[in-house]
Amino acid sequence: MHQPIGVFDSGYGGLTVLKEIRQRLPLYDFVYLGDNARAPYGTRSYETVYQYTRQCVRWFFANGCSLVILACNTASAKALRTIQQRELEQEYPGKRVLGVIRPTTEMVGNYSLTRHVGILATPGTVQSGSYPIEISKFFPDVKVFQEACPMWVPLIENNEHNSPGADYFISQCVERLLEKSPLIDTILLACTHYPLLMHKLQKLLPASVTLLPQGSIVAESLCNYLGRHPEIAANCSKNGSVRFYTTDSALTFNQQGSLFYGSEVSSAHVEL
Ligand code: DGL
């Protein structure tokens, strides 16, 4: 029976996570859904992000997934807990939905010597306060400084992030973050779209600052999770396949998606 692991994002960003996951778990089957028709989620309300994410999670369940990764910080911050409490406990007790915030916050403090950590994220993720709250549980001595980057996801989704106009918005957020504390030595890219800005960001930052994308951290955490839960791992089919779906145009998804995934993407359109 085809029982892939579901990987979800509001758009393309989750592909940067899926790429890392597949490198570590090449035998597993995966299905990716990008809710491109309603992206970006980063500026939407709690209720809207919850309703959209819930609908997508149900789609994964209807398509054979027992385990779904919300490879989207906004959805993880604004919808995951409610989905776990309302949907899973009551309606789908055998299913699991995991996010990207917990695995990242468990690790981030290990990288900082100054104990001053910066977070770059969407306005939704920043407003939720999820990162400072979760990091304080694992690393109470770490001071967290956040900067919301409202323009970054739209620029990346429209493939405009390498244009000269984009440089202004990218450097503005980096400068604002560093102004909050000159001691920041670790910056977490707390949005799965941002790895596409790695090169630009590295040029803007002093060499002493470690820039952390989430993909490899989330992938490692999923490997550990499956190791700790053999009953869940046994429920996942393993033919090494991957299928891509989008709520918007499949043609556009294929063109844009390959930039995030690093290799060709062939998707199908889906109506939710
Ligand atoms: N990749 C999503 C995240 O990690 C982007 C959210 C959005 O659609 O604004 O937060």
Side-chain angles (χ1 to χ4, degrees), residues 9-14 39-43 71-75 100 122 125 153 157 190-193 214:
D9 184 48
S10 57
Y12 302 109
Y41 281 12
T43 44
C72 174
N73 287 273
T74 312
V100 289
T122 65
T125 300
V153 169
E157 290 267 322
C191 171
T192 53
H193 282 68
Q214 288 180 300

Side-chain angles (χ1 to χ4, degrees), residues 159-174:
N159 202 11
E160 285 291 334
H161 54 287
N162 286 318
S163 66
D167 290 350
Y168 168 78
F169 293 105
I170 296 169
S171 56
Q172 184 189 50
C173 295
V174 171

Side-chain angles (χ1 to χ4, degrees), residues 40-47 49-50 72-79 101 119-133 146-154 190-191 194:
Y41 281 12
T43 44
R44 297 191 190 275
S45 69
Y46 268 87
E47 185 56 26
V49 173
Y50 166 62
C72 174
N73 287 273
T74 312
S76 299
K78 290 187 154 184
I101 295 178
I119 306 286
L120 293 167
T122 65
T125 300
V126 168
Q127 280 155 17
S128 74
S130 299
Y131 274 94
I133 293 166
Q146 305 193 90
E147 184 62 34
C149 315
M151 294 298 289
W152 290 14
V153 169
C191 171
Y194 297 175

Side-chain angles (χ1 to χ4, degrees), residues 105 109 115 132-144:
T105 53
R115 316 313 279 157
I133 293 166
E134 293 298 317
I135 291 173
S136 73
K137 290 182 191 159
F138 299 110
F139 304 99
D141 62 321
V142 166
K143 288 197 167 59
V144 180

